[in-house]
Amino acid sequence: MDKEETKPLLGGDDEEELTGCGATLPCDPRRWLHRFLVLIIMCFLSFGSYFCYDNPAAMQDTMESVLHLSTSQFMMFYALYSWPNVILCFFGGFLIDRVFGIRLGAIIFAAFVTVGQVIFALGAYINSYWTMNMGRFVFGLGGESLAVAQNTYAVSWFKGRELNMVFGLQLSFSRIGSTVNMNVMQPLYNSVQNIIPGYQGLGVTLFLATITCGYSMCCALAMAYYDRRAARILKRDGGKTGEVIQLKDVKDFPASLWVICIICVAYYVTVFPFIGLGLVFFEMKFDMDPSEANLVNSLVYVISAGASPVFGFLIDRTGKNIFWVLTGVTFTLGCHAILAFTFVNPFFPMITMGLAYSVLASALWPMVALIIPEYQLGTAYGLMQSIQNLGLAIVAQVAGSIVDAKGYLLLEVFNLAWLCVALIATVLLYLMDASKGGKLNLAAWKRKALAAAEPEKKPL
């Protein structure tokens, strides 16, 4: 057996000796095949969450017509998912590290996701809008924190090995869940309504979607078993997020972090709320049937599933993060302008938007680690995600009201205005960074040379 292959993941030297089936390639946590099999389970941990998150987007016109909802009422389903995460983004890591532990935490968050989807489906079945809203709120309590648990498992099992690849695969699987939802839910409803028409058929369709949440719950249980077994064999502790939230750190954050937060919220509010409303937009403007409109609407997820790991690798090798962020914002602005003011085949701008989104996500989030000390990263990322969810919650409601009052053209003008804010903020970030030596936009080789020359800074 290769020495590197048997090296403990995060454990010590005093490991349990395995015999029989437990010592075989697929059962030994020190062996590559066992880690690969666990990785498959790990990637499906949040599959149900991402599948069900965009259930409303996949059936927008159906929900609005069957449940007699306005667009602003429909977008409340997305707002209520984001509102609890304005707070939970700060404390999800704390709950995992200090309260539940990674194994129980993942199970609890998966349970919130499953129960929330059940309540959402029940609300549709009995035609109760407030019950559906309550379901989405409960769903939101678990969704983002389950992703934190998934990332914690990844670090626990793959730190110092294939971690970058693992994060890329997890993102790809989550987008695959969203893509499958976009292309399956409407045909599934069409089949169900032949037997159970109206809002009850919609409720049954959403109950069937709950199966994916149940599958994710099974993955959470399986991960708890395998992680506990690996911890016993390798004599290591359970995984930790490493997030230490200190609200007093916020006052010490540089201005560049706040500009990055502005870019983040100004960009993301033009992507996710737009996808949430995209089905009817493509049906009305481009005269598409629901299945074709759903396909176009899912292209951002389809493209990002494959492109995000590729662009992440490319940006790691080239550096120049601000340049890549500027590229992503500019191309997305162009895509929304094409969708707003032309009748060009929407496949082209949506594919381009998927590539631009992948570029921006791969370049923007790592910049925080370049300007914030490691001991403050938990707070910085919590702040950034909190602001992002606050923006998504507010803009989701505003976007629905705009469509109800003025239509989709004004919504696209609204999106273009936000992207102009993101573009201005990106240029401002470049100027601020350049005045301090240009650390964020350094080439990768220069960044590595600088890191090697400077001793690591420690908190006092």
Side-chain angles (χ1 to χ4, degrees), residues 128-266:
S128 172
Y129 176 64
W130 74 266
T131 303
M132 295 180 75
N133 281 335
M134 182 175 68
R136 288 295 283 188
F137 184 85
V138 174
F139 186 87
L141 289 173
E144 295 293 316
S145 295
L146 183 60
V148 173
Q150 184 184 41
N151 291 337
T152 307
Y153 270 133
V155 172
S156 178
W157 280 80
F158 295 96
K159 185 177 182 180
R161 292 171 180 265
E162 311 91 347
L163 188 58
N164 288 333
M165 178 201 71
V166 169
F167 278 132
L169 284 174
Q170 286 183 170
L171 178 60
S172 295
F173 267 77
S174 67
R175 294 309 174 210
I176 289 171
S178 301
T179 302
V180 173
N181 158 74
M182 288 289 192
N183 293 282
V184 165
M185 290 302 292
Q186 187 62 45
L188 180 61
Y189 170 75
N190 293 339
S191 299
V192 170
Q193 74 163 346
N194 292 328
I195 304 171
I196 309 174
Y199 57 81
Q200 290 184 327
L202 175 62
V204 170
T205 304
L206 293 173
F207 274 122
L208 292 174
T210 308
I211 294 172
T212 62
C213 297
Y215 180 68
S216 290
M217 170 62 79
C218 292
C219 290
L221 293 170
M223 279 302 307
Y225 168 77
Y226 285 116
D227 190 67
R228 183 173 183 176
R229 178 176 179 272
R232 173 175 56 81
I233 293 170
L234 301 175
K235 308 299 183 187
R236 63 170 170 83
D237 296 327
K240 301 285 186 180
T241 66
E243 294 182 0
V244 180
I245 303 297
Q246 299 285 347
L247 294 182
K248 62 183 177 60
D249 290 339
V250 172
K251 63 180 175 56
D252 299 322
F253 287 156
S256 53
L257 176 66
W258 297 100
V259 177
I260 290 174
C261 290
I262 292 172
I263 297 170
C264 177
V265 70

Side-chain angles (χ1 to χ4, degrees), residues 261-299:
C261 290
I262 292 172
I263 297 170
C264 177
V265 70
Y267 182 85
Y268 277 87
V269 298
T270 69
V271 176
F272 294 123
F274 175 73
I275 292 174
L277 291 168
L279 176 64
V280 172
F281 170 73
F282 291 118
E283 288 177 347
M284 292 175 61
K285 180 166 183 176
F286 298 97
D287 196 26
M288 293 180 168
D289 60 56
S291 60
E292 188 179 13
N294 261 325
L295 176 60
V296 174
N297 203 31
S298 68
L299 283 174

